[in-house]
Amino acid sequence: IVLTQSPVALSLSPGERATLSCRASQSVGTYLAWYQQKRGQAPSLLIYDASNRATGIPPRFSGSGSETDFTLTISSLEPEDFAVYYCQQRANWPLTFGPGTKVDIK
Amino acid sequence: EVQLLESGGGLVQPGGSLRLSCAASGFTFSNYAMTWVRQAPGKGLEWVSLLGGAGGATYYADSVKGRFTVSRDNSKNTLYLQMNSLRDDDTAAYYCAKALMTDSVRAFDHWGRGTLVTVSS
């Protein structure tokens, strides 16, 4: 399953809303996760099963969608949210990641 | 506190072999599936392999199938990745990560810091 993320990059200011998209080449149900990766760090889990926040993730992060279309929304960007975001499906083997969306400071 | 610490990376010539280790602590290691994910310099994440908690089912990306072997020693709380016939495009940081839940591979909630593998002559 191929995951496509859009946009490739997003330039926003702190306090603005970020909307990131992940599209699957075939249905993955709700078997989709979102990860954040800051420069020089390992990825960290944000959302699993399309809409469940992982432990310790603040409510400004939310996930939605099913089948082939998914969205990660950051309601009001904090300075620490500028990073690269990846989606990942676990519906079929092999597991796959999307190419990522970079959110940087405008 | 869950901790994952990868080791074993380094410089290896094309065609060579390397074994990565991932030492786990802070959770019941044998109960969780574990995975390897890699990231080439400046690139995105690529899933490599996964091994079930009981050491049963194994899964591989097509790009490494037949060359890499994942294994675990639950008595040592350690995950391994044996990498043979290494190629230039295997150059990457290799991360190990823990499955979120014991009963299924929903996502990966804890990651190590990674170990760098460089394949070059």
Side-chain angles (χ1 to χ4, degrees):
Chain A
I1 295 175
V2 176
L3 299 178
T4 303
Q5 291 186 243
S6 62
V8 171
L10 202 51
S11 292
L12 295 168
S13 300
E16 288 194 295
R17 181 184 189 91
T19 303
L20 287 64
S21 173
C22 177
R23 179 162 290 180
S25 60
Q26 65 188 77
S27 176
V28 299
T30 57
Y31 295 147
L32 191 103
W34 290 93
Y35 299 85
Q36 177 192 69
Q37 187 178 32
K38 298 179 183 178
R39 183 181 293 273
Q41 297 185 18
S44 60
L45 178 64
L46 295 172
I47 301 286
Y48 66 95
D49 289 353
S51 61
N52 295 303
R53 274 189 300 275
T55 301
I57 301 304
R60 66 179 181 273
F61 290 93
S62 63
S64 64
S66 65
E67 307 297 335
T68 60
D69 289 292
F70 300 86
T71 301
L72 173 70
T73 302
I74 311 171
S75 59
S76 179
L77 282 163
E78 297 287 340
E80 62 267 27
D81 299 337
F82 293 93
V84 180
Y85 293 84
Y86 295 94
C87 55
Q88 173 244 316
Q89 66 81 23
R90 68 115 183 164
N92 285 340
W93 300 100
L95 304 184
T96 49
F97 288 90
T101 291
K102 183 177 182 180
V103 179
D104 60 21
I105 300 176
K106 188 173 182 180
Chain B
E1 179 193 3
V2 172
Q3 291 193 348
L4 299 171
L5 183 62
E6 302 93 339
S7 61
L11 176 63
V12 61
Q13 291 188 339
S17 297
L18 215 52
R19 188 177 84 155
L20 306 184
S21 300
C22 170
S25 61
F27 64 103
T28 306
F29 181 71
S30 59
N31 286 354
Y32 291 86
M34 298 290 295
T35 198
W36 289 98
V37 173
R38 69 185 181 183
Q39 187 169 36
K43 302 298 184 182
L45 302 173
E46 180 188 13
W47 175 75
V48 172
S49 181
L50 181 138
L51 177 56
T58 58
Y59 302 88
Y60 297 95
D62 289 344
S63 58
V64 307
K65 201 172 293 182
R67 300 188 300 123
F68 290 12
T69 302
V70 63
S71 62
R72 64 194 296 161
D73 185 336
N74 288 336
S75 69
K76 295 182 178 179
N77 290 348
T78 302
L79 177 74
Y80 302 101
L81 186 68
Q82 178 67 43
M83 304 186 296
N84 298 331
S85 303
L86 283 162
R87 311 185 304 218
D88 290 354
D89 61 359
D90 293 318
T91 294
Y94 284 73
Y95 298 99
C96 67
K98 164 191 165 291
L100 173 64
M101 298 182 185
T102 59
D103 61 346
S104 64
V105 181
R106 279 179 158 85
F108 304 104
D109 63 339
H110 287 88
W111 296 63
R113 294 190 171 190
T115 187
L116 183 62
V117 172
T118 303
V119 183
S120 175
S121 54

